[in-house]
Each structure stands twice: as C-alpha cells, then as structure tokens.
Amino acid sequence: MRQIEYEIINTVEKLFADKKIDIFIGYKKGTLSLQTSPYFLSEQDDVRKLVWNSFCSNNLAVFIPRIIPNSKSKESKPVGILCKGCDSRSLVGLIKEKQINRDNLFIIGISCPGIVDRRKILSRLDGKEIIGIDEDADSIVVKLKDGEKRFEKEEYLCESCLNCAHPTPSIYDVLIRGAVYSLQAITPDPITKDFSSKPREERWKIFETEVSKCIRCYACRDACPNCYCKECFAEQTKPQWLGVSKGLSEVIFYHIVRILHQAGRCVDCGACVRACPMDINLRLFTRVMVDEVKERFGYEPGISLKDTPPLATFSADDKQEFMTEPE
Amino acid sequence: MKQSDNKTIRRSDDKTNYEPKIVAFLCNWCSYAGADLAGVSRFQYPPNIRVIRVPCSGRINPLYIIKALQSGVDGVLVSGCHPGDCHYISGNLFARRKFALMKKFLDYLGIEPERVQFSWVSAAEGARFAEIIKKVTNDIKKLGPLTYFRKDFEKTGKVL
Amino acid sequence: MKEMNSHKKVMVIGGGIAGVQAALDLADSGVEVYLIERSPSIGGRMAQLDKTFPTNDCSLCILSPKLVEAGNHPCINIITNATVEKVKGDAPHFKVKIKKEPRYVDEAKCTGCGICMAKCPVKIPDTYNMGLCDTKCIHIPFPQAVPAVALIDKDHCIYFRRGKCRICEKFCEPKAIDFNQKEKYIDLEVGSIILAVGLTEFDAVLKDEYGYKIYPNVVTSMEFERILSASGPTQGHVLRPSDAKEPKRIAFIQCVGSRDTQIGNEYCSAFCCMQAAKDAIIITEHLSDVEISVFGMDIRAYGKDFDKFIERAENEHNTRFVRVRVSSVDVDPVNDNPIVHYEEDGHVRKEAFDLLILSVGLRSTPQLRRLSAKLGIKLDESGFVHTTPFAPISTSRPGIFVCGTFSGPKDIPESVIEASGAAGSAGVILSGFPNKEIVVEYPSEIPINDGDRPKVGVFVCHCGINIAATVNVKQVVEYIATLPYVVHSQAMLFACSQDAQKLITEKIHELGLNRVVVAACTPRTHEPLFQETLKKSGLNPYLFEFANIRDQCSWVHQKEPEKATEKAKDLVKMAVFKVINLEPLSKMRLSINKNSLVIGGGLAGVTAALGLAEQGYHVDLVEKESELGGNLRHIPYTLEGEKTGPFLKSLIERVNAHPLIAVNCGAEIEEINGFIGDYKTTIKFNTNSQKYQYSELGMIEPKERKQIEHGIIIVATGAQEYQPTEYFYGEDKKVITQRELEKILAQVNPLRQAGPRKLKVANGKQSDNLIADIDHLSSVVMIQCVGSRDDKNQYCSRVCCSTAVKNALMLKQLAPRVKVFILYRDVRTYGMKELYYKKARESGVIFIQYDKDEKPEVIRNENSLCVEVKEKIMNKTLQFTPDLLVLSTGIIPNSDNKFLSQTLKVPLGTDGFFLEAHVKLRPVDFATDGVFVCGLAHYPKDISETIAQAKAAASRALTVLSKDEIEAEGKVAYINETRCSGCGLCVDICAYRAIELDPEKNIAVVNEALCKGCGTCAASCRSSAINLKGFKDEQILATLAAI
C-alpha cells in the first residue's frame, strides 16, 4: 500500500515538475475515519497529502465533466487524474459520450485491490470511537480505546468490488501495478441471481422497502460520473416527469428511471451505493442491467473506446422473445 | 389539470367487475393503421384501451410507460411496425433494444410482465390488432388493478 | 368566366371518382381544370355506395376528403348542372361550349344551411337514395355534396307550377334563392379533354323474369347500397321494402344485365361479384342469424386480396355461393317472399327468400352516345368508348382521353388509375404551355402567444349513425363541455361536410377559439381536411387534435354502447388535454430535384419513363436485364389478337431516342438514400452484362457504378412467371406452360398465314415432333390456377384465364379440329374479356369446372398422359389423354421485392407484391411520399392495365415534379440548448442523418429539412434536450394525464 502511494506521489510530482499538468485529482485523508476525500491539487499544493488506501472509494471521473467544460477543444494541458479500474471505465464512457476529450486527460491508472466497505466495518464496531487505522496488504486494523480489531479486507470489500471483472484500468497513461485480488467475476451477479429467484411479490416488497428510505437528496446521482445532464429529469418542470413530493410512487419513479438511464452505461463502480446516506441497497437494482446488457447485447461499458453503446445501435437479429403474440 | 372524476368508481378492488384501463401507444404508420383496419373490418375487441398515437414506436420514451403505470393505468401496450417495416427505417429497432431492457428490469423489480407489453402490428393486420388487444386486456383483467405503484393509492395510504 | 389561353387548361367531363381524381392530379401539376358535372354535386356513383371491398372502407368517408379537396382547389373550377354543348378545334386548342342548367339557387350566396329544405312543403323522390325515400323539392343532394348548395327541382316546385309558394325564399337568410335564374352558356378554351363520365346501371325492369318492380322485395344492388348505408333511407337498418322487417334469408342474383346475350350485354360488369360478397359481409354485421345466398356463374375475385375476401364471406359470414343461372323469380303472395327458380344437378329447384337483390351491371345510355357524338369519338358495339389494348385511355380523337367505366365496366381502383393516367396523357398534350400560377391565400394567422389562455372548441361527429349508433354523442358532448379550457362543444351529423367546415370556421371567429378538437372517424384520412379548415380560419393548422371515436371506438365496440361511450369520453378528453398543450408550428420548404428514377424497364417502366420525359422531365431508367421489354417480350399477342412485337419495338425505340431518358440496362439498385425531392441512388452495372449506359449525347460509356440524383422514384420492377413443379412439368415434354404454347403459336401463325397447309416448327426447346405439327394435335387440355389460388400463392393471378382463352382461340384458329378442354375453377374473364370467353365457347373450346379440393390429376403412362378431373355439374370423373397439357401458371412476385421494399421503406402486401397507400383511392402511391408503383410489381395485370397504371404513376409523380419546392414536415425535432450535453446519442441513431453536433457549442443541431419526425432521438435523450414538435414529452404526458 505505502509503496503504491509513494509511486503515485512521485509520478504526480514529476508531472508537475515536467509541466505536463496543472491540476491533479487524487485522494487525501478524509475528515472521518475509514474515509478519504477527493483532492484537487495544483503545483503549489502539497503532493505528499495524496493518499492511496482501501478507502479511496470516490469515482473521481465524476469531476471531469465539471472541470473540463468543453470536450471538443484541446486544453493547453491535460488534467491529471488517479483512476481505479472503475474510474477509468467511467472515463471511457465519458469520452465516448463526448464529455471529455481523451487528450485532455493524463490518467494515472492503478490496479485496484478493491475498496473496503466502510459501513461493513463500522457495523462491527458497535459505535465505538476509532482512534487510528492501520492497513497492510490483506487487512485493516482499527484501533479502538479498548484495543484493536483486525478485518480481513477480502471479507469487507464493497459489493461491486467483490464481483469486479476489470480491476485494472481500461485506459491510462501511466499504470501503477499493485496487488489485485484474484477475484472471479461472475455474471449474473450472485445478488441479482438470488433476488431474481425470489417470488414476484417479495421482490417488489424489497424494492419498495429499499427505495422508501429515499429522501430524494440525489446523492446517488451526484456521485455518478454518468449523471452529467445539465438538468436532471428529476428536476425538470417542462416536462414535469416527477412530482416534488417524497411520496413513494415518486421515489420509485425516480429510481427506476435513474437506472434505466444507466442502461448500457453503468460500470458498476458502486459510487451511488456508497454515496447514499440512507444505505439503500441500490446495487441490487443497478447491477441487473449491467448483466442484462452484457448477456443481451454482449456489451460491457467502459472497456473499449471503439465499440458502439448498445442503445446507439441495433441489430436486425436482436432477440425479441419478450414481444407479445396473439394467443 | 388532472381530473379525478370517474376514477374512484372504477377503482374497486373487486376483480370480477373490474374494468382495467390500458394505454396503448401505437405508431402512426403500422399499428394505428392496423387498429383502424380492425375498425373498418368491425373486428370487435374489449373497450379498455386508450390509444395514444405517436409517429413511431421509436418515439416511445420508456418514461412514458413508467409514468402511465404511476399515474393510474393498469397496463401499457406499445405497438409498432414489424422489424423491417418501419416507416422511419429503424425507429422500431432502436426501440426494441430499449423495450427489451425495460421489460427485463420491470420484471426483475417484481412488476408483472403482463402489465407492460410490446407487439408488432402492421397496417394490414386488423385481426391481429384485435387479437392482441383481447389478449392484453384478458391478461390485465386476470392480474387485477395495479395497486402497488400508483400515485392516487399512495395518497389514501392503501399501499403503505 | 373569362378565358385566356395562357396556361395549361383541361376540361374534365364527369365528376365521379375518376373525374375528381383526374382533376386533382392535373390541378396538383399546375393545370387549371374545368370539371363539368351533369348533376348538382360531384361524387358520382361512389358517393352512393355504402362500403368498398375488400377493405370495407366506408365509401363516402374515403371519397369525401377528395371531393372537399377538389371543391377547395384553387386550380379546379367545378361547373355542376352542366353539359357539353359543342367541341370545336383540335388539341391543344379545343373550343368548348358548356350549358349550365339553372339551379334557382345562387351558388355564391347559398351556405348550405338546409333551412329551405326544412321549410319546403313539397316532397319528391330522393334520387341520391335511389328513390327509396323522399327529399324536398329544394334540397342539397346529400350531406357531403360538393358544392354544398341547394337546388330546386323545377318540375315539382309549386311556385313554378302554380305561381305561388316561395317559402324557401322567405326563409333563406343569405337571399340565395333566384327563381329567375336562366340557363347559361360558358365558352372555354382548353388544351385537352378528359372524358370521365360513368356508365349507368342496367335497368332491371328489362329482366322482367326476375320480378323487379313487380315484387316489392326485389331490389337492385344500387338500391341495396342505400339500404345498407347509414345515411340511407333506413339509416343503415337492413329492412325489406314490403313490411319494413329484418330479412333473415337474403339472396343475390348475379349478372343481371351482364354476360347476357339475350338482352345484348355480353360483357362482364367486373365488380358485381365482389360487391355481392361485400354486401353479404356487411349484412351480417347489421343482422344476426342471417343466411345469404349468392346465385352466379363464376366468382370473379381477380383483384388484390379479393379471394381472401370471398373466403371470409363464405367461412365467417354465412354466405353460400351457388353456381347456377337463375331462370326466373316469382313470389309467395302470402308474405311477399320472392321465390328463386334455378336448375342444379339436373333438378329444378325453388327457393324462397325474404329479400332478393339483383346485382345489376353497367350499360351505356343514349345520353352517353350523344355526348360522344358531340366530342366526335368512336364507340364500340356495346356503346363504350373505343380504345385499343396499347392505348387504353386514348379515344379515337387526339387530345381527348377517357377514364373510368365509359371505356368498359371496371372497379374503382382501375378507374382511379385510368384517371391519373389520363391526367398524365393530357399533360403531355399541354407540355408547351406554362403552368397555372397557384396563389393560395389564407388569412393571416391569428397570433398565439405562450401565455394565452387556451380556448378549445370540440366537434363530435355522428358520422350518420356510424358513431352515433354506438356512442352516445350527446353525453360525450356534454361531458367534454365540463373540461377545462373547453369553451365550445357540439355534435355534428357529418363533421367532414362542407357546411361543417363553415361552422367550425364560424365558431373559431365567433368564440375566439384557438384550439380545435374533432372527434370523428380517423385522423389518417380526415386530419388534413380539418387542418385546412383551421388554416382557412386563420388558425395555425397544428392547433388541432383528432379523437378517433369511430374506427377505434364505435366500430369495434358495437355491442357495448355504454363502455364505448365512456371510452369516447376518455379519447376526446385526451385530445383536449393534448390540444391545450399544442403550439403553432410552421413548415420548412424543400426544393425538388426534377429528375426521376424509374426502376424496371419492362412495359410499365418504359411507359412511365416516356410519360415523364414527354412532359419535359429527365428520367434514369434502370433495368436489371441487358435489354428493355421485360415480360412483354414473351407475350407475342394480346387477347384482342394484336401483335405486341411492333408496339414494344416502337416503344423501346422511342425510349432509346428520347433525349431526356438515360437507359441503364444490366444495372441494379445498390443503394438509395434521401427522400422526396432529393434522392441519391447508386446503381451497379452487372459484371456479366454490357456495362454501358447511354449518355445524354447518345454516346456509350462503359461504367461499373453510377450515381443518380433525383426527386422521385417509380417502382416498375415487374414480376415473374410461376415455374410449376406440378403435373410432370419439366419431366414430360407434353407438359408445357401457356407462355411456351404461346411462343409456338406465334411462330406457327405467320407461317400458316403465309400459305403452306402443313408446317414444322423447328426451333424452341419445347417443340418436338409431338407438337411441331399442330394439325396432328387432336386434343389439348389446359389446367387453370397452377400456382395460383392455392396454399403456395393464395391470390388469383388475374390474367391466366384470359391467356388460356386467348391461346385456345389461337389454337382453334390455326387448327380448328383440335379439341381444347380448359379445366378451371372460375373463369375470370372480367369486363370486356368476357366477349372472348364467349367466342372461345362458340369456337368449340370446352370449359370444365373443378373444385379447389379436387384438383385435376395427371397420370403419366409410358407414351401418354392421362388427365382426370371431377366434373361438378354432372358429378362425374372425366378422363383425357391429351397430346398436350398446358399449364396456366400464375404470376409470382419478384424475389428481390424484399430488398427494394426495405431500401425504399415501402411495404409489401401479404402476397409479396408492393402494397399501395390505399387499395381503392391511392392505387399507384406509396405511403412514403415521392415513391410510386406500377405494373406487375403491384399485382398481376394485363397489358392495358399496366400501361394505364404506368401512365398513372408518371402522372402522380408529376404532381411532385411540377413544383419547385414542397413543404417539409412541421412536426420535427428541436433542441433545448440549455439541456443538451452534446453526448451525440441522437446523432448516432438518426436514420436520416438529420442531427449534427455543433463543434463550438458542443450541442446537437437538427436539420429540419432532413428530419422526418420519427422522434427516436427524443425518446432516447436522457436529458429531454431533444424533443419532437407536436409530440413533445409534455404533450404526451398531458394526454396520459387525461386517462
């Protein structure tokens, strides 16, 4: 871990020194324990504050459309960015959707061992105050007043990391290779498979129960690099797709549509899940579309800059088993 | 502008006398013409559908379907030209991809697949149109009213 | 009317569907038209029909928009109550004198309000309703009449007879009544004349053995059309005349006044079989538990989807077709039931019915003979206009053309085709004159601002009883009045009538309506009519919404009036909610490339190409094979006995010599891009063909590919002969097809005429010793419907009966002793072809009927063929051992129709032929603008029909080509710039490449000229940044909110 962090710092330092970039986006220590914050630094800032650990959860690609407004023009200098596998997949999507010009990015890719789910650890601490954190290759050590607790990372990874097929970035300018868990990516994801096997009424009940927690803060949307719309459907008034209430049917509508809008685009980074203040198990509903898109159209978002997104094309032979025929 | 006139009467949970309301989005060139042909040929079918004419099945934003379910219909039918027949070359084929994903997703969430149906009906298929309407109406009658995802029920707290 | 011979002018005589179509085509091509109609309204016979086969479209419903369009067209002058007095001069300088009879009502003042009609004390028989009920002495001919102006029947008017009354005058607010009106003479100078008057139905009184006008419950098919009609004497209730009761057993007698030597009408009237089947189907919709019998000789279902229609009548509508000739009819005096006498299986049978309908055919009249004398044109023995197979719409006098039934009985689409063809032919005569400048003046548009309060007017149509019998219109009207923004809501008997248009305009002005909803039949046929009314009222035509409460409500819920009414309320409410959200739109104008692409170089393509080139338009003609001529090269002579060779040769020479036609033989379509007015096509020359093209200078240029830019496309790709697999064809040399027989006969014929009694036919792969000597043939059997009307090809190939008759006649002529047997299912020698069927029978050709389920069987022995067939009348199995077995093979669609259909985005019908926009009234158009069809690509047809349709396609194309620009769609996509993130999804999915990304702003931009308005982009945009005018998200959501 430390080794990789040094490598990152050295690389960024050199980029600034060589005047290759003016700005870099990485992670710094967070205000809360078991957390990091995005860190936008320029040459004047302290490169040494950059961190790399198991809690670098934010998908940094989300900031790109916001700081590089025009995808077409080539900026004088690219923006440097630290990318995990999923972040890079998001960047691929953004490039394909013309939100950024590849030339405007300097990507430090990093093979990602997976992000540890802060909430999973917190849930084991019974609310005790954390004094310090130590991390080695395989485990997290949480120091408490009355001792310390060791957590094997593999058991506490985020759901999306557990079934990550592409921990190594799909695009990068420099790649920092770290240890990568030899995970088996499974399609369909076990959680969606399990959910699918439940009776219909129960599925709806679960969905309803989950999304009924929603307070419509839109944190899930704001954390998602794909959600770069200038005006989100949820806030439009003409047409007014949604009422303003937090009523259940509005919330259901919002989540269904958000997920449909991600169809063929979602890279399963888990940012929305981690961003949700109400702990809605969003991935239970987002992941199914990832699997379906892969199965139906053979498409995985964020892997290639060349292949056409599934909803921007068609094949005359697309399956249509779902169409109604008269009896 | 939303009226609440006769809805309350219709919305009994009594499945036997229940008349579902079904919205049918029909493309102008094939399915709408097929529906007209059903009329011209006097093929009788249940009076539960309310047709919204759109130029092409490609015009159907999946949000319309969700919106329809949310705002009080019991089922949605979307019908367009058969593959290859699209008046706009390929609108129906782009639509087919969207519909496929949507259909899968709604099913996954636990919405009965019969609530939202897609079909191809050509301008020459009046009988087929009538048959499809019969099927969709029967399917939805069997399911009963859509109670779990509706704005007006939510207000009365019936669902929660 | 002032006359200046400064621009293109044509007189069309006859305002039936043929005349109206010819007038519209001419007018749309920049020709000023004088449409002369003898009666007080245009519309003709079609206006009196209830429904049309095989789609059962309401006849008046599809006709009425055309009548209104003709009535409103700035280039059409309708002169009613008028006849031709004199025609002098020659084309293109005819001088015509027209006599216009007085109407006693000022056409300019009459509003058609109908008050006079209500007040008039005198009842007279209503001729529109075939005299089955009364109208008033002052009356408007029918609700949808054009012009919708009243007239006084002078002979019955009390004032004219006794000098007193004038009640109508008292009540007429616009002061339109004018008892002093006198006949008027109008002098016209026109370049060409189109004769579109129709024949008259046969007077059934002449067949007194059928008891018409003797027994009360015997009516003619025309009378029955009115009985079936919602606007007829019984409001569409099928009641018999004697006691106004619903009949349970109904019979039709076919061929009354047709195929009848006794009364001298030997021709077939061409449409009556289908008309009876249609009536049968409609009856069962009106009445339950009814039995229908149709007595006739053959079922002549020779058109597109006709056989399927007959099957429907038989299988689903309790209709029995009985193949007999009815000898006489008498009556049961107790209940007035007509009793039909006929012979079946050698027994005389009597059968009583509640109602008997005589399917009357068509005939010429003395009045038509007088008219043709004035025009100086030749008639044939039947009193029909004389035409030739190669010039089916030309009369004997140059510059005068004929269309519709006057040149022989025919169905509506054939009349419409001929009408368009005649318009095209007249256009050729006029090509030296400039177009008539069209200045359409609409009142300036009432401005609609964003914040303006919507004021919606709703008009709910009864459509006679088509809607009102099921939907409670009053309830709908009352309910709608309670909706927000609805300031006016009313019912109308026929919302499509001219007076209804007037009323809508009045309401718009009176109440300041800024949105209009019409609830009626279907927007597919009637939306343009109402949009035009809005335009004329100064309202943007897009502030209109249609609620379909007939085709998709009253007609499909006939047994559930309450639910249908509820549904109608919802549908109208949805339209109201939508219209509130609509906004004014304007259209972009597109320029028209004046070049044409004609695909297919057979008779149809060549004729169409000439039709265009002769009016001064450049044509690229593309033919797959290495030479022009298509199937006609294999048809040496016509049924009438005319040789096709010289005709085809001269046609091809004209094409090759024409400076405006580029002939591309050995070439196929590779790619077609674009849209009406602006197509770009790549053709590829076959590698094994001559790879040449003629340049405009007549030079031959080798080339592999060619790019063509053009404004319209005519599909004339033809069809193929069915290659039989049955009856040992290809295995036994004695089995040949009609086409092969014809080739041999054509070779024999000139030799025979040259003298030698005996001759050998040396060449031709089929000609071996057996048939080389025609005189040695002793018997020939022909089997009809090989590859037609079976499971493989379910349709009738239309021409094979005539081909068999033609070849049988030729065979008989060459070798009178040969015995010819034709095994048939129905002899479908429709129209004038019937005369040759008769001739064949007279020359000894024997016709034997077989049943679909008992097809003839052929047994092959060592040296002979044995044909077995079960003969129906005597119910015996007959055996033949013919020297020659000739298979009448059908016509099958080209295999590459599928490719072309997808490339052009035009549909194919279920049988694989191209599907026109409307089988009755748009027989050469596709739903896609700028693409037309003719010839066998559309459906099997004979030479004359092909020529007429090819000319029609050219004429329809000219309605586009004659304009410099046409209007693009109004409902196009547009961008909300503040929302667009420039992701480019819409750019990728637009099939028309109408969207681009602005590189500066990084947002999408729509090219309105290219946008076709499908809305796929709008449905795909996650940001709702691209939307479709007229189908905006908020508009659709508003509609949804109404449910």
Side-chain angles (χ1 to χ4, degrees), chain A residues 44-264:
Chain A
Q44 298 82 13
D45 296 306
D46 187 357
V47 183
R48 314 248 146 226
K49 280 190 183 166
L50 280 169
V51 298
W52 172 248
N53 60 38
S54 290
F55 301 102
C56 291
S57 61
N58 292 59
N59 186 336
L60 297 178
V62 75
F63 301 110
I64 290 296
R66 299 174 198 175
I67 57 173
I68 312 176
N70 197 338
S71 66
K72 285 288 182 299
S73 57
K74 192 173 177 305
E75 304 292 317
S76 54
K77 277 183 198 169
V79 168
I81 183 168
L82 184 68
C83 274
K84 309 185 288 293
C86 50
D87 302 31
S88 81
R89 296 202 296 280
S90 291
L91 284 180
V92 168
L94 289 169
I95 293 165
K96 283 162 100 167
E97 292 179 3
K98 302 176 185 64
Q99 301 307 303
I100 17 166
N101 188 329
R102 174 69 182 88
D103 297 336
N104 291 339
L105 294 172
F106 192 97
I107 301 168
I108 300 180
I110 184 159
S111 318
C112 175
I115 297 302
V116 170
D117 189 338
R118 176 172 177 263
R119 286 174 186 142
K120 285 187 185 171
I121 292 182
L122 287 177
S123 68
R124 295 296 181 86
L125 298 178
D126 308 322
K128 286 178 188 162
E129 194 189 339
I130 302 169
I131 300 171
I133 310 283
D134 253 341
E135 180 175 354
D136 59 30
D138 298 322
S139 51
I140 307 282
V141 180
V142 179
K143 290 176 186 153
L144 304 165
K145 278 183 178 164
D146 54 352
E148 56 177 50
K149 262 193 158 173
R150 178 172 286 270
F151 299 93
E152 292 306 310
K153 281 186 193 174
E154 208 174 335
E155 291 167 30
Y156 288 87
L157 288 181
C158 290
E159 295 291 333
S160 50
C161 301
L162 278 172
N163 198 14
C164 176
H166 307 282
T168 300
S170 45
I171 54 166
Y172 50 79
D173 295 293
V174 174
L175 180 68
I176 298 172
R177 287 183 194 281
V180 171
Y181 288 101
S182 55
L183 295 168
Q184 285 274 310
I186 310 161
T187 313
D189 192 278
I191 66 161
T192 66
K193 206 177 164 189
D194 171 59
F195 185 76
S196 301
S197 66
K198 293 182 195 299
R200 180 176 307 288
E201 291 78 8
E202 195 182 330
R203 295 207 297 276
W204 181 262
K205 201 76 226 167
I206 294 172
F207 174 63
E208 207 177 67
T209 311
E210 282 298 317
V211 297
S212 65
K213 298 181 211 162
C214 180
I215 54 170
R216 282 181 75 175
C217 69
Y218 300 137
C220 49
R221 177 192 75 191
D222 296 343
C224 177
N226 279 338
C227 284
Y228 54 75
C229 283
K230 291 178 179 169
E231 194 184 344
C232 176
F233 77 92
E235 287 157 334
Q236 287 174 1
T237 51
K238 223 178 175 188
Q240 184 167 15
W241 298 106
L242 253 84
V244 287
S245 84
K246 292 185 181 61
L248 182 57
S249 92
E250 303 288 9
V251 170
I252 291 172
F253 187 92
Y254 166 73
H255 285 283
I256 292 178
V257 174
R258 194 186 79 85
I259 293 166
L260 286 177
H261 277 175
Q262 298 292 347

Side-chain angles (χ1 to χ4, degrees), chain B residues 21 36 40 44 50 59 64, chain C residues 55 522 558 570 1031 1033:
Chain B
K21 268 197 187 175
D36 276 355
V40 166
Q44 305 292 301
R50 303 293 177 263
R59 175 67 190 102
Y64 299 160
Chain C
T55 52
T522 167
Q558 288 172 322
D570 271 2
F1031 292 98
D1033 290 331

Side-chain angles (χ1 to χ4, degrees), chain C residues 874-981:
Chain C
M874 291 173 290
N875 202 14
K876 273 201 306 206
T877 301
L878 304 176
Q879 281 190 345
F880 305 92
T881 47
D883 304 320
L884 202 55
L885 175 63
V886 186
L887 307 182
S888 291
T889 51
I891 294 172
I892 56 167
N894 277 343
S895 53
D896 48 8
N897 283 2
K898 188 93 199 161
F899 163 76
L900 208 53
S901 125
Q902 294 194 349
T903 308
L904 288 167
K905 296 298 147 201
V906 295
L908 297 179
T910 44
D911 295 323
F913 295 100
F914 283 95
L915 182 62
E916 62 273 36
H918 191 278
V919 290
K920 282 290 186 215
L921 294 186
R922 295 183 68 193
V924 297
D925 297 16
F926 281 115
T928 305
D929 289 343
V931 192
F932 307 91
V933 65
C934 57
L936 299 182
H938 162 261
Y939 192 68
K941 52 179 64 71
D942 70 15
I943 293 168
S944 304
E945 289 166 338
T946 299
I947 293 171
Q949 201 183 17
K951 283 177 189 272
S955 167
R956 296 291 303 148
L958 281 161
T959 63
V960 177
L961 297 172
S962 62
K963 299 184 178 78
D964 292 329
E965 50 180 27
I966 53 157
E967 286 181 329
E969 300 290 332
K971 295 178 178 176
V972 291
Y974 71 99
I975 305 285
N976 179 336
E977 294 193 8
T978 59
R979 283 183 186 163
C980 179
S981 304

Side-chain angles (χ1 to χ4, degrees), chain C residues 818-859:
Chain C
V818 63
K819 286 182 186 144
V820 183
F821 302 93
I822 298 182
L823 314 184
Y824 72 97
R825 286 179 53 195
D826 295 277
V827 179
R828 291 183 169 171
T829 45
Y830 56 95
M832 305 309 283
K833 297 174 176 29
E834 175 71 10
L835 307 185
Y836 298 91
Y837 172 38
K838 181 170 173 265
K839 200 170 156 194
R841 289 195 318 261
E842 285 166 357
S843 16
V845 178
I846 294 165
F847 289 81
I848 297 159
Q849 202 211 347
Y850 71 87
D851 213 62
K852 186 190 179 184
D853 305 321
E854 291 170 317
K855 284 190 176 182
E857 280 181 27
V858 177
I859 300 140

